[in-house]
Amino acid sequence: MYEMWRREFITLVGGAAAAWPLAARAQQPTMPVIGVVSTGAPESAPYRMTAFRQGLNEAGYVEGQSVAIEYRWAEGRYELMPELVADLLRRRVAIIATPGSADAALAAKAATAAVPIVFADEEDPVKLGLVASLARPGGNVTGLAVLETELQGNRMRLLRELVPTVNSIAVLLNPARPVFDAQSKTIQETARAVTQEIQILPASSEPEIGSALTVAAQRRPAALIVAPDAFFDSRREQLVTLANHYAIPAIYEVREFAAAGGLMSYGTRLTEAYHQVGRYAGRILKGDKPGDLPVVQPTKFELVVNVKAAKAIGLTIPEPFLARADEVIE
């Protein structure tokens, strides 16, 4: 009798012990998933994504421990954006982050009014219809925005300072971008505001880039602005090589172009933009509503000048100009 009771007791205890971990696991909260959509390629943004994850860390979220991140890369193919967003929505992500791309943010906003979206880009989010206002975005979208009018105006002024006799500045734009029309309109408005003649050169492929820079080189003195674009970022070496070959003073969006041998870059520090997207994503995971988080506007812009590139195209950069640079590449 004792042995029977003992066997039954052990069976009950053993069964309860086996069942307990299953019940405990079932009660554990599901790890939230953030979907990151980029128009670029993974190899072009490792340090930027590190900044994004650091922003999340500040809010108490660590990838693989308290939050999962699903990455989607369009690699400059804007037509893929709707499907990349749709795939993330099918996976029931808690947030869609689109650092560095208003195009991805527009695709996400068109696909959902429920899932929070956090963006960072140079385009005006109010004009694009992403948010109602910078102070009170409303809806499910917020993020970081640099008003392109100010940025492009300063790029034009910097080129004119280095090439005072320039009459017309060529502006390279990608017509494949969904925001191409808005981008083109903003640049034309900026040119009128700073009384600068411009020539918009469209390019969405390698051969078109070659043709566009050939056209830009025909005007002397020449000058070139390469507008922000994921495809142009992927063709960095081609753009820098051609601009230097034709001795065209060119200004780019990000430091990587100057580091690759381009004359200069002027824009926001992308690491700070990605960091802010991560911070906002963390705040939303903690319960903040995106519509209540104001769109952040950066106040720090970075000028990087490559002196070696200037000498290679026969351009002398005045010392006062170099003194204003945040970084001088020798």
Side-chain angles (χ1 to χ4, degrees):
M1 184 68 178
Y2 170 78
E3 286 299 324
M4 182 181 297
W5 175 86
R6 183 172 178 272
R7 285 196 301 270
E8 289 176 354
F9 176 78
I10 292 173
T11 300
L12 286 170
V13 172
W20 180 81
L22 294 174
R25 285 196 295 269
Q27 292 174 4
Q28 289 179 351
T30 303
M31 186 183 296
V33 180
I34 296 175
V36 174
V37 186
S38 172
T39 53
E43 61 270 16
S44 69
Y47 71 97
R48 301 174 193 173
M49 294 314 304
T50 297
F52 170 75
R53 288 188 288 268
Q54 287 172 344
L56 275 173
N57 293 351
E58 290 179 9
Y61 292 95
V62 179
E63 183 179 14
Q65 297 180 23
S66 52
V67 67
I69 305 177
E70 293 267 354
Y71 300 92
R72 298 293 181 272
W73 309 92
E75 302 189 12
R77 296 177 60 191
Y78 292 98
E79 70 276 10
L80 297 179
M81 301 307 305
E83 178 51 37
L84 295 180
V85 170
D87 181 49
L88 289 173
L89 291 175
R90 285 193 292 268
R91 294 174 181 269
R92 300 185 181 280
V93 294
I95 296 172
I96 293 178
T98 64
S101 175
D103 308 278
L106 285 170
K109 183 176 173 64
T112 178
V115 177
I117 300 164
V118 186
F119 70 90
D121 199 73
E122 282 192 13
E123 307 303 322
D124 186 331
V126 178
K127 288 184 178 179
L128 291 178
L130 282 172
V131 298
S133 71
L134 298 180
R136 300 285 293 180
N140 63 320
V141 184
T142 190
L144 176 142
V146 183
L147 298 188
E148 191 181 16
T149 302
E150 178 184 355
L151 252 153
Q152 294 293 16
N154 286 340
R155 288 174 183 144
M156 292 176 190
R157 292 185 186 96
L158 288 167
L159 280 174
R160 286 196 306 209
E161 193 171 343
L162 288 185
V163 192
T165 56
V166 68
N167 292 317
S168 178
I169 295 176
V171 182
L172 192 69
L173 294 179
N174 185 352
R177 287 194 69 180
V179 299
F180 169 76
D181 289 338
Q183 194 178 35
S184 177
K185 182 180 178 182
T186 298
I187 289 174
Q188 292 179 61
E189 290 173 350
T190 303
R192 285 193 293 270
V194 300
T195 61
Q196 174 61 57
E197 180 184 336
I198 62 170
Q199 180 185 21
I200 292 180
L201 302 175
S204 57
S205 66
E206 292 182 29
E208 288 177 352
I209 288 176
S211 299
L213 266 73
T214 301
V215 171
Q218 291 171 357
R219 292 198 177 192
R220 291 295 172 182
L224 172 69
I225 293 174
V226 176
D229 175 66
F231 174 66
F232 294 160
D233 197 30
S234 71
R235 299 307 307 159
R236 192 182 307 148
E237 295 294 336
Q238 180 192 9
L239 282 162
V240 167
T241 300
L242 286 173
N244 292 345
H245 171 73
Y246 290 120
I248 304 173
I251 188 166
Y252 308 89
E253 174 201 14
V254 292
R255 180 192 179 279
E256 286 88 344
F257 280 91
L263 175 62
M264 61 181 170
S265 65
Y266 178 76
T268 57
R269 287 193 176 100
L270 286 184
T271 50
E272 293 182 5
Y274 277 64
H275 183 266
Q276 177 62 36
V277 172
R279 287 184 66 246
Y280 262 13
R283 288 184 60 177
I284 291 169
L285 287 177
K286 283 184 174 294
D288 285 352
K289 295 180 179 179
D292 294 335
L293 295 174
V295 175
V296 176
Q297 292 182 271
T299 56
K300 174 64 177 176
F301 302 102
E302 183 178 52
L303 172 63
V304 180
V305 180
N306 188 319
V307 175
K308 184 178 179 181
K311 292 177 180 177
I313 64 174
L315 187 66
T316 300
I317 301 180
E319 284 300 324
F321 191 100
L322 290 176
R324 299 204 315 269
D326 297 278
E327 181 182 356
V328 176
I329 298 174
E330 301 288 350

